[in-house]
Amino acid sequence: ENGMNRKTLTELGGKYAFHSFSFTGLCVFSSGLLVGTLDAVLDSTSKVAPFRILHQTPDSQVYWSIACGASREEITEHWDWLEHNVMNILSVFDSNEDITSFVQGKIRGLIAEEGKGSFTKEEDPEKFREGLMKFERCFGLPEQEKLVTYYSCSYWKGRVPCQGWLYLSTNFLSFYSFLLGAEIKLIISWDAISKLEKTSNVILTESIHVCSHGEDHYFSMFLHINETFLLMEQLANYAVRRLFDKETFENDLVLHDPLQITKRGLENRAHSQQFSAFFRLPKEETLKEVHECFLWVPFTHYNAHGKMCISENYICFASQDGSLCSVIIPLREVTGVDKADPANRGVNISTKGKRAFRFTEVRDFEQLVTKLRIKCNATSSPQHINTEVAGSSASDSPKDFDEVPSKIDLRDNSKTVSTEALMTVYHPQDAENLDPKMLKEKMKEQSWNILFFERGHGVSMFRTKKTRDLVVRGIPEALRGELWLLFSGAVNDMASSPGYYTELVEKSLGTCTLATDEIERDLRRSLPEHPAFQSDTGISALRRVLTAYAYRNPQIGYCQAMNILTSVLLLYAKEEEAFWLLVAVCERMLPDYFNRRIIGALVDQAVFEELIRVHLPQLTDHMMGMTFFSSVSLSWFLTLFISVLPIESAVNVVDCFFYDGIKAILQLGLAVLEYNMDKLLTCKDDAEAVTVLNRFFDSVTNKDSPLPPAVQQGSNLTDAKGDHPKVDITDLIRESNERYGDIRYEDVESMRCRNRLYVIQTLEATTKQNVLRVVSQDVKFSPNDLDELYELFKREHFLSCYWNVNSPVLEHHDASLPYLEQYRIDCQQFRVLCHLLSPWSHCANRDSIALWTFRLMDENCHGLINFKQFSCVLDTMYNGSFTDKLKFLFKLHIPPAFTEVESLSPSKGVDLSKEELMHFSQLNGKCVTLPAEYWKDSVNYLMGKVDIQAYLKQWQDELLKKEENIKDLPRMNQSQFIQFSKTLYNLFHGDPEEELLYRAIAVVTSLLPQKGQKEGSSEQTEGNGAQSLRKNHEWSFAFEQILASLLNEPAFVRFFEKPHEIKTRIESAKNLQLKARTRV
């Protein structure tokens, strides 16, 4: 084609027929033959090569480009390579399917080899620099916008794919294509994305779906779609946390500076997060190395195949052969690292409990041994040895596990901290009188002791399917606190911070904040039926733990449901252990659950609803809208079923949660719904369905619980509550594992990421609806125009955050504030919007007008205005009457709005620099500006230091605000009137009646001073001579005088009553807002 003999192509193609396969359209071959094809074909902006080799699918009109060349000799060389390396092998296959599979694998393998040199700054600076130049040239974004990476792909415009380049930067997803004279340019900000997922359908075998502002975008034909999707997910999640969820983001130093983000850094971060979450390690741990290997499992005499993962302080192993075997080895426990069996590339790791772990088939095992020896020497310092914790040693004896914490308790104990679990105080076990339940409890303990003997006891124990089976049966009362600490990873936190809790208690006791007030209110609502919390011992311990955590993490502080969870933790764990368990739950296992918007719980609810749609579709069809599941399941997630199940059954659920994480709660929720499926399908409304579930939970028992009947909640229920048969919690949990145990941890995490975007965008939509409902009562804009204005306002807020790491607007965006105060803009941002939207933006002194307008709206001198103030000003400009607009201009030229403005750079004329604008906006008018104190408002609000009554009074004053009387306006002096006249001259410039308006204003400005002087002269008799002389030379005008004078000039009235269409300005602003920010 394109110059090559058509007959030659046909003959060659007929001789060696390729069969159908799914392929991106080209390949790059080695040996220098087809190198460069990737760029030439995938780069839609480059010239089309004159020679190409095409592959045709039988019975299809679609051709795929296999190779291209600039000359006949080059394309012939390519063809020869194909003949010798691909076509001559095809004859050995017996079926077309085998041929297709081979060709597909060969092509993909070649592409993968070429793809190893990804276009990243670290690996190919020249290639990346070339892509960066294209990115800057195509989109014109500010130079601070950091390009992370870019990929070749197709963007689907309807049913037509457009080949081009996808650029991923810190704040935007951008796509550019130029084919056959048609240009496609797409810029989507990450914070606007509500859905990001991998999809497939009949047309697109595998694609990435992006939904933004209700519009769907599909990208496909990636060489490495999983890598691309992972980066997109990371960048979207980064933007969401940075802009919407500052509570969790502001402590994240890794991503705090967007200019430091790199492709490799994001990939490493994603892998480290998965690693630390899977093994329940401290969040600070980063994954350093991964080695595929085998681990010898002595009790089964079996080599488990899996991966060894190494971080700064841990060596971890997880099997990948279905054996569900995992091991966590803290380096503080390691006593030796040796080479073992060089033929099998073995590594032996010995620990303090006289246990040894043998890894084999480890690539570069000698270098690994050297590295681990260095690491272990570094962590074997006296300081680390002294930070040992109970259960962190891998001893063979359960007794050893319990001896270490007693030493810690003696060392760290203070008079205020309890050193015993409440259950041991209020329900000590009677070793002599063993009833059948206690005998069964002892048998459970014996099963765990056998497990400890075989698999080790402590952090470094082997965790296998047998471990999970024992957890499902219920952990014995005596071992519950110890194993919770172990499985949650809290034991590692406690090991690294000896004495921390005691110090925290001493610092936090006596503090008075909003959090401590809420804690005091909820203390006696926490398991009030349990004797431990009917006494001062339990209440005091609960107070100390909750107050200490609120002091440690003021971003979370205290949230309802934390009291219920902590109460259960205190029953089975010592006070310090309960604190670290709470840390593990709030900061790792249930991320973002206990902030003010409970985002994490809402995300997991969305995951739960997604699983219901997959596993229980008939229930989904019956319960239309899914609101029922959201309202019912929230308490399940927030309290881990503790609030709905009897305490003796709920602790079994907590057992599974600490071992399997949120997966256990999701599985149990599905099992509960399936168990009640028939009854739920007959329900006519949500209330009836809630009743069904409540009766079911009342019927759940724990027949093996050794707790006294007085404590058991299930035993106190009478049969009068319903005829529901009793359900044992162990059977229910076992069934949930059998039916839904195939739900993978990786899938849950993927669904969490996907639904986080949706949940946050839904919360943002709620905020917008509430703001628009309030503002719409005060303006005349249509609902659609007001909606568009809000999006522009919010976008301007975010644009200032994109490239300014220390933006005060970003630092103090607080979702817990009233809706109107969540998004505010400063004077610089207002100027940009004013230039884009104001009907007076053509005015020569438009910067001064924007400055005075901002000062007029900023009544509290905070340096920020909200959307209501912004929209009311625009409403006056567009929809106000002649009197309203004139009064507005009058107020701009008197204090507190007016201030003398003169640019420090004469060459700029009337334009103001950003620094000058911010300086003039903060000059005192009628109030004192305290920006430093103001910036602390959001934090103070969280800490309970802001007077709530002040907010209520401010809201009441706004409701009672009367229409301003024009007679109450202050008079305008001479210099202010001169500036007022200049502004009018500037406004009239370019108007069709410009000359007529100029003459009219000349008449008014000549008459008004005479009236001003006469009024001034009438007061001269009361003053002395000097005062009379001064007053003779000063003019002052009342607003009524100016209004009356201008009303006599029809040209003025026509000008100010001329209608202006805001829709066109909004559309223009949407296209120019980003460019305006670039210019600034």
Side-chain angles (χ1 to χ4, degrees):
E1 187 175 275
N2 294 340
M4 190 171 183
N5 187 295
R6 190 177 298 272
K7 180 180 178 182
T8 304
L9 263 181
T10 304
E11 289 176 355
L12 289 171
K15 186 176 180 181
Y16 303 100
F18 280 62
H19 289 258
S20 173
F21 62 92
S22 175
F23 176 47
T24 59
L26 63 125
C27 61
V28 182
F29 294 91
S30 56
S31 305
L33 289 177
L34 303 186
V35 173
T37 309
L38 185 66
D39 291 337
V41 179
L42 284 186
D43 189 352
S44 60
T45 63
S46 65
K47 290 183 178 180
V48 177
F51 297 95
R52 291 184 293 165
I53 297 175
L54 304 179
H55 165 253
Q56 182 186 17
T57 305
D59 302 322
S60 172
Q61 296 182 357
V62 176
Y63 289 81
W64 297 99
S65 296
I66 297 299
C68 62
S71 64
R72 182 184 297 272
E73 291 74 21
E74 185 181 1
I75 202 68
T76 304
E77 195 174 9
H78 294 337
W79 185 267
D80 292 340
W81 195 96
L82 288 168
E83 282 189 307
H84 290 99
N85 293 276
V86 179
M87 296 182 185
N88 61 353
I89 305 175
L90 301 183
S91 59
V92 303
F93 296 104
D94 297 326
S95 67
N96 292 341
E97 289 74 19
D98 291 340
I99 294 175
T100 300
S101 177
F102 169 78
V103 173
Q104 183 176 356
K106 185 70 174 177
I107 298 298
R108 289 190 180 278
L110 292 167
I111 293 173
E113 284 297 314
E114 182 67 17
K116 286 181 180 178
S118 301
F119 302 156
T120 61
K121 190 173 183 179
E122 300 91 336
E123 296 170 356
D124 193 343
E126 288 300 321
K127 203 72 180 175
F128 188 86
R129 192 176 296 113
E130 181 183 333
L132 179 60
M133 291 175 63
K134 289 181 183 177
F135 172 69
E136 293 174 345
R137 184 174 66 250
C138 291
F139 303 103
L141 295 171
E143 61 181 12
Q144 301 99 315
E145 181 65 12
K146 172 80 179 293
L147 176 63
V148 177
T149 189
Y150 61 103
Y151 299 96
S152 169
C153 70
S154 288
Y155 171 65
W156 289 79
K157 201 172 174 75
R159 299 176 68 88
V160 180
C162 303
Q163 188 66 36
W165 289 95
L166 180 70
Y167 296 87
L168 307 181
S169 58
T170 49
N171 298 296
F172 299 98
L173 178 155
S174 311
F175 177 83
Y176 184 82
S177 173
F178 186 81
L179 280 174
L180 303 176
E183 183 183 54
I184 296 177
K185 188 184 295 185
L186 184 69
I187 302 177
I188 302 173
S189 55
W190 292 114
D191 57 79
I193 293 177
S194 57
K195 184 178 288 187
L196 178 64
E197 60 183 354
K198 284 192 294 186
T199 62
S200 60
N201 54 42
V202 177
I203 299 175
L204 304 175
T205 54
E206 202 169 22
S207 63
I208 296 176
H209 173 212
V210 177
C211 181
S212 173
H213 295 300
E215 296 184 12
D216 294 310
H217 307 276
Y218 292 90
F219 303 90
S220 67
M221 298 187 184
F222 293 95
L223 295 183
H224 305 287
I225 191 167
N226 291 331
E227 172 194 296
T228 308
F229 182 74
L230 177 65
L231 280 174
M232 293 171 71
E233 203 171 52
Q234 285 279 299
L235 285 167
N237 187 54
Y238 156 75
V240 161
R241 286 185 177 275
R242 181 167 187 253
L243 299 174
F244 294 123
D245 195 16
K246 78 177 186 67
E247 290 180 8
T248 56
F249 182 85
E250 59 188 11
N251 293 325
D252 194 338
L253 301 178
V254 178
L255 293 181
H256 190 64
D257 184 357
L259 298 179
Q260 301 303 317
I261 294 177
T262 62
K263 173 177 178 286
R264 181 178 296 171
L266 285 172
E267 289 174 340
N268 293 342
R269 179 182 174 80
H271 295 147
S272 294
Q273 287 175 338
Q274 294 169 3
F275 162 72
S276 59
F278 182 82
F279 291 106
R280 312 278 166 73
L281 302 179
K283 294 171 71 173
E284 298 75 24
E285 292 295 312
T286 56
L287 184 61
K288 298 296 185 183
E289 298 180 50
V290 178
H291 298 272
E292 191 168 345
C293 62
F294 290 89
L295 171 64
W296 174 248
V297 184
F299 47 89
T300 60
H301 303 285
Y302 169 74
N303 272 312
H305 175 252
K307 291 185 177 180
M308 178 199 297
C309 305
I310 302 173
S311 65
E312 294 92 340
N313 300 298
Y314 297 88
I315 302 169
C316 303
F317 175 86
S319 65
Q320 295 182 302
D321 55 8
S323 62
L324 301 179
C325 175
S326 65
V327 171
I328 301 170
I329 309 173
L331 293 183
R332 64 178 182 267
E333 295 287 324
V334 175
T335 57
V337 181
D338 303 291
K339 288 182 284 187
D341 192 7
N344 291 323
R345 296 179 292 181
V347 177
N348 265 3
I349 298 177
S350 305
T351 62
K352 293 177 182 176
K354 298 181 181 179
R355 297 188 68 89
F357 299 88
R358 188 175 72 192
F359 299 90
T360 56
E361 299 302 325
V362 182
R363 181 180 295 182
D364 301 327
F365 73 105
E366 293 179 340
Q367 291 89 329
L368 179 62
V369 168
T370 304
K371 290 179 185 176
L372 290 179
R373 283 175 177 170
I374 295 172
K375 275 179 173 286
C376 293
N377 289 335
T379 58
S380 296
S381 63
Q383 179 182 0
H384 280 272
I385 292 175
N386 290 337
T387 62
E388 296 248 347
V389 182
S392 62
S393 75
S395 65
D396 288 326
S397 169
K399 183 180 177 182
D400 294 339
F401 187 93
D402 293 323
E403 285 177 356
V404 183
S406 64
K407 297 177 184 178
I408 288 183
D409 294 330
L410 289 172
R411 180 187 63 209
D412 292 339
N413 187 26
S414 69
K415 295 179 180 179
T416 59
V417 177
S418 173
T419 58
E420 286 189 291
L422 295 178
M423 195 63 76
T424 62
V425 176
Y426 288 90
H427 307 295
Q429 294 185 6
D430 189 348
E432 296 180 359
N433 301 319
L434 298 179
D435 58 18
K437 288 187 176 181
M438 284 304 302
L439 284 173
K440 201 162 188 176
E441 186 75 2
K442 290 298 179 182
M443 290 174 63
K444 279 187 183 181
E445 289 183 29
Q446 186 60 30
S447 298
W448 278 96
N449 288 332
I450 294 172
L451 183 85
F452 293 148
F453 180 79
E454 290 180 349
R455 292 159 170 78
H457 189 190
V459 179
S460 302
M461 69 182 291
F462 282 89
R463 305 178 196 200
T464 63
K465 187 176 183 299
K466 176 67 174 176
T467 315
R468 174 181 276 110
D469 291 341
L470 289 181
V471 171
V472 168
R473 288 171 53 190
I475 297 176
E477 299 276 313
L479 297 175
R480 185 161 271 142
E482 170 190 321
L483 292 178
W484 283 359
L485 204 68
L486 184 69
F487 295 145
S488 67
V491 64
N492 296 313
D493 296 321
M494 201 161 84
S496 61
S497 305
Y500 174 80
Y501 175 68
T502 304
E503 293 174 8
L504 211 57
V505 168
E506 292 173 355
K507 291 178 182 177
S508 61
L509 282 181
T511 58
C512 183
T513 65
L514 186 62
T516 56
D517 291 344
E518 293 175 348
I519 289 170
E520 288 299 323
R521 188 169 60 248
D522 288 345
L523 283 176
R524 301 193 180 275
R525 302 176 187 173
S526 310
L527 299 185
E529 68 285 343
H530 198 286
F533 298 101
Q534 295 170 358
S535 69
D536 186 61
T537 303
I539 293 295
S540 297
L542 181 61
R543 177 187 292 112
R544 287 191 294 270
V545 172
L546 292 175
T547 304
Y549 185 79
Y551 188 88
R552 163 190 166 88
N553 193 341
Q555 283 78 22
I556 291 178
Y558 170 77
C559 178
Q560 284 188 338
M562 288 173 67
N563 61 319
I564 298 174
L565 176 61
T566 308
S567 300
V568 175
L569 298 179
L570 283 167
L571 289 177
Y572 295 98
K574 299 172 184 177
E575 187 175 319
E576 182 181 8
E577 295 172 346
F579 169 80
W580 287 113
L581 283 169
L582 184 64
V583 170
V585 171
C586 294
E587 298 177 16
R588 285 203 309 273
M589 300 187 71
L590 297 179
D592 302 339
Y593 258 61
F594 301 102
N595 55 28
R596 293 189 174 271
R597 296 198 290 178
I598 57 171
I599 290 174
L602 297 177
V603 169
D604 282 343
Q605 274 193 307
V607 172
F608 185 53
E609 291 173 10
E610 190 173 333
L611 291 172
I612 294 172
R613 283 191 287 270
V614 173
H615 295 280
L616 305 172
Q618 64 272 43
L619 191 59
T620 305
D621 296 338
H622 181 70
M623 301 288 185
M624 296 300 291
M626 303 293 283
T627 56
F628 162 73
F629 301 115
S630 299
S631 58
V632 166
S633 63
L634 183 60
S635 63
W636 302 358
F637 291 100
L638 282 173
T639 66
L640 308 179
F641 283 93
I642 295 171
S643 63
V644 294
L645 286 174
I647 183 64
E648 65 275 11
S649 299
V651 291
N652 284 37
V653 178
V654 179
D655 294 341
C656 297
F657 167 75
F658 279 126
Y659 191 83
D660 274 330
I662 194 62
K663 177 175 174 285
I665 305 301
L666 294 168
Q667 289 175 183
L668 183 60
L670 291 171
V672 167
L673 293 178
E674 185 183 15
Y675 194 95
N676 294 277
M677 176 81 74
D678 294 338
K679 292 184 178 180
L680 290 173
L681 290 176
T682 62
C683 293
K684 299 176 182 178
D685 54 37
D686 288 357
E688 191 176 347
V690 170
T691 302
V692 167
L693 291 178
N694 286 339
R695 287 178 177 172
F696 169 77
F697 288 129
D698 289 341
S699 71
V700 175
T701 62
N702 186 349
K703 63 179 186 293
D704 297 331
S705 175
L707 292 179
V711 176
Q712 293 190 35
Q713 297 172 352
S715 64
N716 296 330
L717 298 173
T718 62
D719 293 335
K721 285 202 171 187
D723 55 355
H724 207 296
K726 298 296 182 183
V727 180
D728 187 69
I729 187 64
T730 304
D731 296 335
L732 187 62
I733 292 175
R734 184 183 295 111
E735 185 175 344
S736 73
N737 268 275
E738 291 173 355
R739 298 191 65 84
Y740 305 108
D742 58 345
I743 297 174
R744 299 189 313 149
Y745 164 80
E746 295 84 354
D747 295 333
V748 172
E749 289 302 309
S750 177
M751 286 189 283
R752 272 179 160 180
C753 286
R754 183 166 64 248
N755 284 287
R756 169 175 283 276
L757 298 175
Y758 167 75
V759 166
I760 292 208
Q761 293 295 355
T762 301
L763 291 173
E764 288 298 306
T766 302
T767 297
K768 180 170 78 170
Q769 290 169 5
N770 283 284
V771 170
L772 296 184
R773 185 172 61 248
V774 172
V775 175
S776 62
Q777 301 172 9
D778 298 322
V779 299
K780 298 175 184 176
F781 291 125
S782 68
N784 185 61
D785 289 343
L786 199 58
D787 186 286
E788 298 279 14
L789 286 173
Y790 180 86
E791 291 298 333
L792 287 169
F793 182 88
K794 178 179 167 183
R795 183 171 173 77
E796 190 60 36
H797 168 96
F798 283 161
L799 284 173
S800 67
C801 304
Y802 285 166
W803 306 289
N804 187 355
V805 179
N806 299 315
S807 168
V809 179
L810 171 62
E811 289 178 8
H812 303 286
H813 164 56
D814 188 352
S816 65
L817 290 175
Y819 290 120
L820 274 173
E821 302 302 315
Q822 288 186 20
Y823 293 111
R824 292 169 288 184
I825 58 175
D826 61 21
C827 191
Q828 164 62 18
Q829 297 166 300
F830 176 73
R831 172 172 65 172
V832 174
L833 286 177
C834 208
H835 290 179
L836 292 172
L837 294 168
S838 171
W840 302 336
S841 59
H842 64 279
C843 190
N845 64 333
R846 61 180 187 170
D847 279 2
S848 299
I849 292 179
L851 169 65
W852 298 330
T853 304
F854 182 86
R855 287 170 58 87
L856 179 65
M857 291 183 290
D858 185 22
E859 297 176 351
N860 297 322
C861 300
H862 285 163
L864 296 173
I865 62 170
N866 60 36
F867 178 69
K868 181 178 180 181
Q869 296 165 318
F870 169 76
S871 55
C872 286
V873 164
L874 282 181
D875 186 62
T876 301
M877 294 179 178
Y878 279 95
N879 303 317
S881 64
F882 171 78
T883 304
D884 292 334
K885 293 176 182 177
L886 196 63
K887 183 172 66 174
F888 171 68
L889 285 171
F890 181 87
K891 291 169 71 175
L892 292 186
H893 293 83
I894 58 175
F898 182 76
T899 183
E900 294 289 345
V901 176
E902 185 176 351
S903 176
L904 301 177
S905 305
S907 60
K908 287 188 175 183
V910 292
D911 291 338
L912 299 174
S913 68
K914 179 180 178 180
E915 292 73 19
E916 291 168 346
L917 191 74
M918 298 304 290
H919 167 73
F920 288 127
S921 69
Q922 294 174 5
L923 289 178
N924 292 346
K926 63 180 179 182
C927 56
V928 179
T929 305
L930 297 172
E933 284 74 7
Y934 171 72
W935 294 131
K936 297 178 183 177
D937 275 1
S938 296
V939 177
N940 289 343
Y941 180 84
L942 288 173
M943 297 295 290
K945 298 176 184 176
V946 173
D947 186 2
I948 305 299
Q949 296 299 322
Y951 278 103
L952 295 175
K953 186 176 185 305
Q954 181 182 349
W955 176 62
Q956 187 178 22
D957 291 344
E958 280 194 17
L959 291 177
L960 299 175
K961 202 171 185 179
K962 297 181 180 179
E963 185 68 26
E964 189 175 36
N965 193 321
I966 59 176
K967 293 183 178 180
D968 297 332
L969 292 173
R971 299 175 70 86
M972 180 181 285
N973 65 29
Q974 175 181 346
S975 62
Q976 295 162 359
F977 179 74
I978 292 172
Q979 185 58 60
F980 176 75
S981 302
K982 289 181 179 179
T983 299
L984 290 178
Y985 272 109
N986 290 327
L987 284 177
F988 299 152
H989 180 68
D991 191 86
E993 295 186 317
E994 182 177 355
E995 291 300 325
L996 189 59
L997 288 165
Y998 283 166
R999 286 198 297 270
I1001 200 171
V1003 172
V1004 172
T1005 53
S1006 63
L1007 291 177
L1008 273 176
Q1010 297 176 14
K1011 296 181 180 179
Q1013 285 177 349
K1014 288 179 181 178
E1015 292 183 6
S1017 299
S1018 66
E1019 300 170 1
Q1020 290 176 18
T1021 55
E1022 299 179 8
N1024 59 33
Q1027 290 175 330
S1028 298
L1029 184 61
R1030 186 172 65 252
K1031 288 196 173 186
N1032 239 345
H1033 293 283
E1034 287 186 355
W1035 305 332
S1036 66
F1037 309 99
F1039 175 70
E1040 304 99 292
Q1041 293 175 299
I1042 297 176
L1043 176 63
S1045 300
L1046 294 180
L1047 281 172
N1048 289 327
E1049 301 295 334
F1052 275 116
V1053 179
R1054 287 195 298 271
F1055 177 83
F1056 283 109
E1057 291 190 343
K1058 186 189 305 180
H1060 295 281
E1061 182 58 56
I1062 196 172
K1063 288 184 183 294
T1064 55
R1065 296 305 294 260
I1066 289 175
E1067 289 303 317
S1068 174
K1070 287 161 66 175
N1071 296 325
L1072 297 175
Q1073 189 175 23
L1074 192 55
K1075 293 180 181 178
R1077 171 61 57 177
T1078 303
R1079 287 196 298 271
V1080 171

